[in-house]
Structure formats: C-alpha cells, structure tokens
Amino acid sequence: MTKKIAVIGGDGIGPEVVAVGVRVLETLAEREGWDLALTHYDFGADRYLKDGTTFPEEAQSAIREDHDAVLLGALGDPRVPDMSHARDILFGLRFGFDLYCNLRPVRCLHDRLMPLVGRAAKDCDITVFRENTEGIYVGMGGHFKKGTADEVAIQEDLNTRKGVERIIRAAFEWAKANGKTKVHMADKHNAMKHAHELWLRVFNEVATEYPGIEAKHVFVDALCLFLIQDPSQFEVIVTCNLFGDIVTDLGAALQGGMGMAASANIHPGGLGMFEPVHGSAPPLTGKDVANPLATVLTVGMMLEHLGFAGAEKELEGIVRRAIEEKQCTSDVGGELGTKATGDWVCAQLRA
Ligand code: IPM
Ligand code: MN
C-alpha cells in the first residue's frame, strides 16, 4: 500500500536536513520495496516574500485528505521578523490537524554526548509529552493603547478539560505500552492556581486508571533543576505547551545539542507531522554544516508511525554508530558536512 508523505523543507537549514531525510526514505523504500510517494511543498519565507503565500487552503485539504504524514524541516527567517508565515505553517499544521500530542524523546545516544559530569548516556532516556494545541500558544489576547506609555498586552493561557485529559491519557497509554513505571506531570499550580489546578486534578484522576504506573507531580521549575542533577529519575514527562517547549530545549542539551533532538506531532490514530526540534538556524544556512541526525531520528519516528515496524530502532542504531565512529558534523564531534553525514547513513542502510 502506498504511503503518502508531504515534505516541507521550510527555511534556513530546513531544506538541507530534510534533503537528508528524503534520501533516507528513498534508500529504505528501495531496499524494502516500500511504496512511498512524496509531495514536495515550497512553503516558507522565500515563497511568502515572493507572493504572500503561507499555507493555502488547497494544500491543507490535499494534506488532510490525501497524505499519511508530513515531514517538516524548520521555519523562521530574519527577513520575516514577526514570524507570521512560520506561525501560519507550523501552527496551521499543529492546530489545523489537531496534532495534540507532541512527542519528544529526550534520549542521549552516546556517552560522548552526555554533558553532565559523572553521568552516562544510559542515565538519560526520557519521553516528553508536550500538549500541542492549547495553552499560551493559541494566540488569544491583544494590545490596548499600543505604542503609548500606558500600553497593555494580554495573552491568555487556554486550558480545556478535554485538551488536558487527552494529552495526560496519551502519556499514560504510551508508558503502559512501553513498559514504563512512572509518569511525571510538570505544572506550576502554585502560581497558576486556576489553569494548573485543572492539570493536577485531571492528572490525579486519570492516574487512577493506571494502577501499575506511578504518577508523580513536579513543579516545572524544580523539574529543570532535577533534570540537570539526575535525569535518570524520569521516564515519561507530560506538560503543557509552553513548558514542553522549554523543557525539551533543556532536554536537547542532555542529548548532545539541538542537532540530536527529534519530534513527532501526532493525533493518535490520525495524520502525523514530524520535525526535528531545532529551528532554522539562519547563520548555518547553505554552509553544509547543519547536523542532519535529528532529522534522521525524526524520519525513524515517522516510519514507525506509518507502520514500518523496526525502522525507528534501526535508524537510531545507525545514528548511535555515526556518533561512535565520528561520522557526523562538528557539533557532535565529527568532521563531516550535512550531505556527507547523510551519505554515510544511507551507506549503512544499504550495507
Ligand atoms: C518548537 C519551536 C516552536 C515552538 C517555535 C518555532 C514557535 O520552538 O517547535 O519547539 O515554540 O513550538
Ligand atoms: Mn522550541
């Protein structure tokens, strides 16, 4: 059966790392006889600056009705300082397709990448479930008396019972399916007594349905401290949109940097959008220095989601070897460029 994948390279280093991701897909498809059909979209800053297009309705319906997954590079360009195109495209996918589950593995794949003294790669194997369709990201709010000394800016933090419950449930379900023993929920109900009281109450309620899994609460500020002191105490973390964004950048540092962090934006049972956690990195653009390994890991998550069992583990194993044998970019201790790293990964797939 054909699996259809929409590919959006986006801005900055996005197209370069996605080109490696596409080669990995093509190499695997050829080796395994898989029928993958890729549709390339040129959405991003160049297109926006050329004709004002961000994420048109036709493309949205084509993706919704006729694709199984989206592979996205990165969005963000200094020529569009307000990021309006990036928000239309990225949030158009996350919100428009109701991809409420932003699954971000914080797994350190090699001792050499572990920045904490006295810790090893095995001490960091965490899966973060970031709520992806609500919170402060919904953009509700506005300015009053903008540009004056009396200016007021308000941005609302939206939390619904349904939204909070479904992401917490997704975290417990995943923990159960993957043999995990505990789930931490990170909030800030000591300061955000309405919105995060809801998180705490729903977490405790949902936890009663999973008696085999320990449910633990942690304040998000303390979580940042504990992650640095001893990441091995965490297995699964579920949190709101903004905290998930922040905590996974901290997590990326424990994985060897932004070039190693993968993510899946999914609606369980439905379409998924897959993107490396890093951004468009404008200063690195066009220099063949961006680390494509986060994208390789992301492609693994996408293939697994599409039903190609084993692809994620295989690609993770190759990425681990790329680090071990220094067949990688300089941010993770190698001397290869983006393309050559991709060549090495594809050669391993063919070997
Ligand atoms: C991420 C990014 C985005 C986010 C930005 C680009 C809006 O930081 O995917 O983590 O905040 O979600
Ligand atoms: Mn982020």
Side-chain angles (χ1 to χ4, degrees):
M1 202 185 108
T2 310
K3 292 288 181 191
K4 292 192 175 169
I5 302 164
V7 179
I8 306 174
D11 302 330
I13 59 168
E16 297 170 54
V17 294
V18 158
V20 170
V22 165
R23 276 164 55 221
V24 165
L25 284 172
E26 288 168 351
T27 306
L28 270 169
E30 196 184 307
R31 190 190 80 185
E32 299 293 323
W34 295 339
D35 191 4
L36 301 180
L38 309 187
T39 315
H40 292 268
Y41 289 102
D42 66 353
F43 305 135
D46 279 343
R47 176 76 188 272
Y48 173 63
L49 291 168
K50 197 165 75 198
D51 65 12
T53 299
T54 58
F55 191 30
E57 192 50 56
E58 310 87 77
Q60 292 179 38
S61 7
I63 292 174
R64 182 175 292 112
E65 279 144 38
D66 204 28
H67 288 80
D68 301 291
V70 180
L71 177 63
L72 175 71
L75 293 162
D77 187 298
R79 293 169 300 167
V80 190
D82 70 356
M83 293 273 289
S84 53
H85 75 295
R87 267 198 307 278
D88 275 8
I89 302 167
L90 184 63
F91 296 163
L93 287 158
R94 289 184 184 169
F95 296 125
F97 294 96
D98 200 27
L99 308 177
Y100 68 85
C101 194
N102 192 334
L103 203 165
R104 296 186 160 189
V106 177
R107 189 176 303 131
C108 182
L109 295 180
H110 197 279
D111 291 345
R112 200 157 52 68
L113 301 181
M114 168 50 72
L116 303 177
V117 175
R119 303 265 168 220
K122 66 164 174 39
D123 296 323
C124 183
D125 184 1
I126 306 166
T127 303
V128 175
F129 282 78
R130 167 185 177 188
E131 203 294 317
N132 213 28
T133 48
E134 300 195 342
I136 210 89
Y137 277 72
V138 297
M140 286 170 70
H143 294 264
F144 179 53
K145 297 190 179 179
K146 192 170 182 176
T148 74
D150 297 322
E151 177 163 356
V152 177
I154 290 178
Q155 182 130 13
E156 296 289 351
D157 183 28
L158 179 110
N159 294 265
T160 67
R161 165 79 203 203
K162 175 181 148 194
V164 171
E165 184 171 337
R166 65 184 183 173
I167 188 68
I168 289 174
R169 199 174 291 284
F172 275 103
E173 280 298 320
W174 188 90
K176 191 173 153 188
N178 289 276
K180 301 295 180 187
T181 62
K182 56 189 163 189
V183 174
H184 281 83
M185 190 279 289
D187 70 8
K188 195 65 194 153
H189 72 255
N190 48 358
M192 300 169 66
K193 68 172 189 172
H194 306 299
H196 286 187
E197 185 276 331
L198 174 67
W199 275 80
L200 185 62
R201 184 158 33 91
V202 174
F203 180 64
N204 288 331
E205 266 177 51
V206 173
T208 62
E209 296 168 34
Y210 299 87
I213 297 171
E214 204 183 339
K216 302 184 95 165
H217 168 265
V218 61
F219 288 119
V220 71
D221 47 351
L223 172 65
C224 293
L225 173 89
F226 297 147
L227 277 170
I228 299 300
Q229 284 181 333
D230 179 13
S232 73
Q233 62 193 298
F234 300 102
E235 293 180 3
V236 178
I237 296 169
V238 60
T239 190
C240 65
N241 207 338
L242 181 64
F243 295 168
D245 177 47
I246 297 167
V247 162
T248 53
D249 265 31
L250 189 153
L254 302 177
Q255 296 172 268
M258 295 305 291
M260 297 302 296
S263 87
N265 299 252
I266 52 185
H267 184 114
L271 178 119
M273 184 271 277
F274 300 80
E275 51 166 350
V277 175
H278 64 70
S280 57
L284 306 187
T285 306
K287 296 188 174 142
D288 193 41
V289 296
N291 183 352
L293 295 177
T295 302
V296 173
L297 295 167
T298 297
V299 163
M301 294 180 83
M302 179 172 82
L303 288 169
E304 206 71 27
H305 186 77
L306 290 174
F308 300 110
E312 188 173 8
K313 274 276 154 278
E314 181 181 5
L315 288 172
E316 189 182 285
I318 291 174
V319 168
R320 190 177 281 117
R321 273 209 318 281
I323 302 294
E324 171 73 35
E325 297 174 24
K326 301 203 173 170
Q327 301 297 316
C328 50
T329 46
S330 61
D331 56 311
V332 281
E335 287 174 1
L336 297 184
T338 309
K339 287 199 196 79
T341 304
D343 291 343
W344 188 86
V345 169
C346 291
Q348 302 306 300
L349 288 170
R350 281 188 295 261

Coordinates of all heavy atoms in Angstrom, one line a residue, residues 287-330:
K287 N 25.7 26.3 4.4 CA 27.1 26.0 4.6 C 27.5 24.5 4.7 O 28.6 24.2 5.0 CB 27.6 26.7 5.9 CG 27.5 28.3 5.8 CD 28.1 28.9 7.0 CE 28.1 30.4 6.9 NZ 27.8 31.1 8.1
D288 N 26.4 23.7 4.6 CA 26.6 22.3 4.7 C 27.2 21.9 6.0 O 28.1 21.0 6.1 CB 27.5 21.8 3.5 CG 27.5 20.2 3.4 OD1 26.4 19.6 3.5 OD2 28.6 19.6 3.1
V289 N 26.8 22.6 7.1 CA 27.4 22.2 8.4 C 26.3 21.7 9.4 O 26.6 21.2 10.5 CB 28.1 23.4 9.1 CG1 29.3 23.8 8.3 CG2 27.2 24.6 9.3
A290 N 25.0 21.9 9.0 CA 23.9 21.6 9.9 C 23.9 20.1 10.2 O 24.1 19.2 9.3 CB 22.6 22.0 9.3
N291 N 23.6 19.7 11.4 CA 23.6 18.3 11.8 C 22.2 17.7 11.3 O 21.2 18.1 11.8 CB 23.7 18.2 13.3 CG 23.7 16.7 13.8 OD1 23.5 15.8 13.1 ND2 24.0 16.6 15.1
P292 N 22.3 16.7 10.4 CA 21.0 16.1 9.9 C 20.5 14.9 10.8 O 19.5 14.3 10.5 CB 21.4 15.6 8.5 CG 22.8 15.2 8.7 CD 23.5 16.1 9.7
L293 N 21.2 14.6 11.9 CA 20.9 13.4 12.6 C 19.5 13.5 13.3 O 18.8 12.5 13.5 CB 22.0 13.0 13.6 CG 23.3 12.6 12.9 CD1 24.4 12.2 13.9 CD2 23.1 11.4 11.9
A294 N 19.2 14.7 13.8 CA 17.8 14.9 14.4 C 16.8 14.5 13.4 O 15.7 13.9 13.7 CB 17.7 16.3 14.9
T295 N 17.0 14.9 12.1 CA 16.0 14.6 11.1 C 16.0 13.1 10.8 O 15.0 12.5 10.5 CB 16.4 15.4 9.8 OG1 16.4 16.8 10.1 CG2 15.4 15.2 8.7
V296 N 17.2 12.5 10.8 CA 17.2 11.0 10.6 C 16.4 10.3 11.7 O 15.6 9.4 11.4 CB 18.7 10.5 10.6 CG1 18.7 9.0 10.5 CG2 19.5 11.1 9.4
L297 N 16.6 10.7 12.9 CA 15.8 10.2 14.0 C 14.3 10.5 13.8 O 13.5 9.6 14.1 CB 16.3 10.7 15.4 CG 17.7 10.3 15.8 CD1 18.2 11.2 16.9 CD2 17.8 8.8 16.1
T298 N 14.0 11.7 13.4 CA 12.6 12.1 13.2 C 12.0 11.2 12.1 O 10.8 10.8 12.2 CB 12.6 13.6 12.8 OG1 13.1 14.3 13.9 CG2 11.2 14.0 12.4
V299 N 12.7 10.9 11.0 CA 12.2 10.1 9.9 C 11.9 8.7 10.5 O 10.9 8.0 10.1 CB 13.3 10.0 8.8 CG1 13.0 8.8 7.8 CG2 13.2 11.3 8.0
G300 N 12.8 8.2 11.4 CA 12.5 6.9 12.1 C 11.2 6.9 12.8 O 10.4 6.0 12.7
M301 N 10.9 8.0 13.5 CA 9.6 8.1 14.2 C 8.5 8.1 13.2 O 7.4 7.5 13.5 CB 9.6 9.4 15.1 CG 10.6 9.5 16.2 SD 10.5 11.0 17.2 CE 9.1 10.6 18.3
M302 N 8.7 8.8 12.1 CA 7.6 8.9 11.1 C 7.3 7.5 10.5 O 6.1 7.1 10.4 CB 8.0 9.9 10.0 CG 7.0 10.0 8.9 SD 7.4 11.3 7.8 CE 8.5 10.5 6.7
L303 N 8.4 6.8 10.2 CA 8.2 5.4 9.6 C 7.5 4.5 10.5 O 6.6 3.7 10.2 CB 9.5 4.9 9.1 CG 10.1 5.6 7.9 CD1 11.6 5.2 7.7 CD2 9.3 5.3 6.6
E304 N 7.9 4.6 11.8 CA 7.3 3.7 12.8 C 5.8 4.1 12.9 O 4.9 3.2 13.0 CB 8.0 4.0 14.2 CG 7.9 2.8 15.1 CD 8.8 1.6 14.7 OE1 9.8 1.8 14.0 OE2 8.4 0.5 15.2
H305 N 5.5 5.3 12.9 CA 4.1 5.8 13.0 C 3.3 5.3 11.7 O 2.1 5.0 11.8 CB 4.0 7.3 13.1 CG 2.7 7.9 13.3 ND1 2.0 7.9 14.5 CD2 1.8 8.5 12.4 CE1 0.8 8.4 14.4 NE2 0.6 8.8 13.2
L306 N 4.0 5.2 10.6 CA 3.3 4.8 9.4 C 3.2 3.2 9.3 O 2.6 2.7 8.4 CB 4.1 5.3 8.1 CG 4.0 6.8 7.9 CD1 4.9 7.2 6.7 CD2 2.6 7.2 7.6
G307 N 3.7 2.6 10.3 CA 3.5 1.1 10.4 C 4.7 0.3 10.0 O 4.6 -0.9 9.9
F308 N 5.9 1.0 9.6 CA 7.1 0.2 9.3 C 7.8 -0.1 10.5 O 8.8 0.6 10.9 CB 7.9 1.1 8.3 CG 7.2 1.4 7.0 CD1 6.8 2.7 6.7 CD2 6.8 0.4 6.1 CE1 6.1 3.0 5.6 CE2 6.2 0.7 4.9 CZ 5.8 2.0 4.7
A309 N 7.4 -1.2 11.2 CA 8.0 -1.5 12.5 C 9.5 -1.9 12.3 O 9.9 -2.6 11.4 CB 7.2 -2.7 13.0
G310 N 10.2 -1.3 13.3 CA 11.7 -1.6 13.3 C 12.5 -0.5 12.7 O 13.7 -0.4 13.0
A311 N 11.9 0.4 11.9 CA 12.6 1.5 11.2 C 13.2 2.4 12.3 O 14.4 2.9 12.1 CB 11.7 2.2 10.3
E312 N 12.5 2.7 13.3 CA 12.9 3.7 14.3 C 14.2 3.2 15.0 O 15.2 3.9 15.1 CB 11.8 4.0 15.3 CG 12.1 5.1 16.2 CD 11.0 5.5 17.1 OE1 9.9 4.8 17.1 OE2 11.1 6.5 17.8
K313 N 14.1 1.9 15.4 CA 15.3 1.3 16.1 C 16.5 1.2 15.2 O 17.6 1.5 15.6 CB 14.9 -0.1 16.6 CG 14.3 -0.1 18.0 CD 15.3 -0.1 19.1 CE 14.8 0.6 20.4 NZ 14.8 2.0 20.6
E314 N 16.3 0.9 13.9 CA 17.4 0.7 13.0 C 18.1 2.1 12.8 O 19.3 2.2 12.9 CB 16.9 0.2 11.7 CG 18.1 0.0 10.7 CD 17.8 -0.5 9.3 OE1 16.6 -0.7 9.0 OE2 18.7 -0.7 8.5
L315 N 17.3 3.1 12.6 CA 17.9 4.4 12.3 C 18.5 5.0 13.6 O 19.6 5.6 13.5 CB 16.8 5.4 11.8 CG 16.4 5.1 10.4 CD1 15.2 6.0 9.9 CD2 17.6 5.4 9.4
E316 N 17.9 4.7 14.7 CA 18.6 5.1 16.0 C 19.9 4.4 16.2 O 20.9 5.0 16.6 CB 17.7 4.8 17.2 CG 18.2 5.4 18.5 CD 17.3 5.0 19.7 OE1 16.2 5.6 19.8 OE2 17.7 4.2 20.5
G317 N 20.0 3.2 15.8 CA 21.2 2.4 15.9 C 22.3 3.0 15.0 O 23.5 3.1 15.4
I318 N 21.9 3.4 13.8 CA 22.9 4.0 12.9 C 23.3 5.3 13.4 O 24.5 5.7 13.3 CB 22.2 4.1 11.4 CG1 22.0 2.6 10.9 CG2 23.1 4.9 10.5 CD1 21.3 2.6 9.6
V319 N 22.4 6.1 13.9 CA 22.8 7.4 14.5 C 23.8 7.2 15.6 O 24.8 7.9 15.7 CB 21.6 8.2 14.9 CG1 22.0 9.4 15.7 CG2 20.8 8.7 13.7
R320 N 23.5 6.3 16.5 CA 24.5 6.0 17.6 C 25.8 5.6 17.0 O 26.9 6.1 17.5 CB 23.9 4.8 18.4 CG 24.6 4.6 19.7 CD 24.0 3.5 20.6 NE 22.8 4.0 21.3 CZ 21.6 3.5 21.1 NH1 21.4 2.5 20.3 NH2 20.6 3.9 21.8
R321 N 25.9 4.8 16.0 CA 27.2 4.5 15.4 C 27.9 5.7 14.7 O 29.1 5.8 14.7 CB 27.0 3.3 14.3 CG 27.0 2.0 14.9 CD 27.5 0.9 14.0 NE 27.0 0.9 12.6 CZ 25.8 0.5 12.2 NH1 25.0 0.0 13.1 NH2 25.4 0.6 11.0
A322 N 27.0 6.5 14.1 CA 27.6 7.7 13.5 C 28.4 8.6 14.5 O 29.4 9.1 14.3 CB 26.5 8.6 12.8
I323 N 27.8 8.6 15.7 CA 28.4 9.3 16.8 C 29.7 8.6 17.3 O 30.8 9.1 17.4 CB 27.5 9.5 18.0 CG1 26.2 10.3 17.6 CG2 28.2 10.2 19.2 CD1 26.4 11.7 17.1
E324 N 29.5 7.3 17.5 CA 30.6 6.4 17.9 C 31.8 6.5 17.0 O 33.0 6.7 17.4 CB 30.1 5.0 18.0 CG 31.1 3.9 18.2 CD 31.6 3.8 19.6 OE1 30.8 4.1 20.5 OE2 32.8 3.5 19.8
E325 N 31.5 6.5 15.7 CA 32.6 6.4 14.7 C 33.0 7.8 14.2 O 33.7 8.0 13.2 CB 32.3 5.5 13.6 CG 32.1 4.0 14.1 CD 31.6 3.0 13.0 OE1 31.8 3.3 11.8 OE2 31.0 2.0 13.4
K326 N 32.4 8.8 14.8 CA 32.6 10.2 14.4 C 32.3 10.5 12.9 O 33.0 11.3 12.2 CB 34.0 10.7 14.7 CG 34.3 10.6 16.2 CD 35.4 11.4 16.7 CE 35.5 11.4 18.2 NZ 36.6 12.0 18.8
Q327 N 31.3 9.8 12.4 CA 30.8 10.1 11.0 C 29.7 11.0 11.1 O 28.5 10.7 10.8 CB 30.4 8.7 10.4 CG 31.5 7.7 10.3 CD 32.7 8.1 9.5 OE1 32.5 8.7 8.4 NE2 33.9 7.9 9.9
C328 N 30.0 12.3 11.5 CA 28.9 13.2 11.8 C 29.5 14.6 11.8 O 30.7 14.8 11.5 CB 28.4 12.9 13.2 SG 29.7 12.8 14.5
T329 N 28.6 15.6 12.0 CA 29.0 17.0 11.9 C 29.8 17.5 13.2 O 29.8 16.8 14.2 CB 27.8 17.9 11.7 OG1 26.8 17.5 12.6 CG2 27.2 17.7 10.3
S330 N 30.4 18.7 13.1 CA 31.3 19.1 14.2 C 30.6 19.4 15.5 O 31.2 19.3 16.6 CB 32.0 20.4 13.7 OG 31.1 21.4 13.5

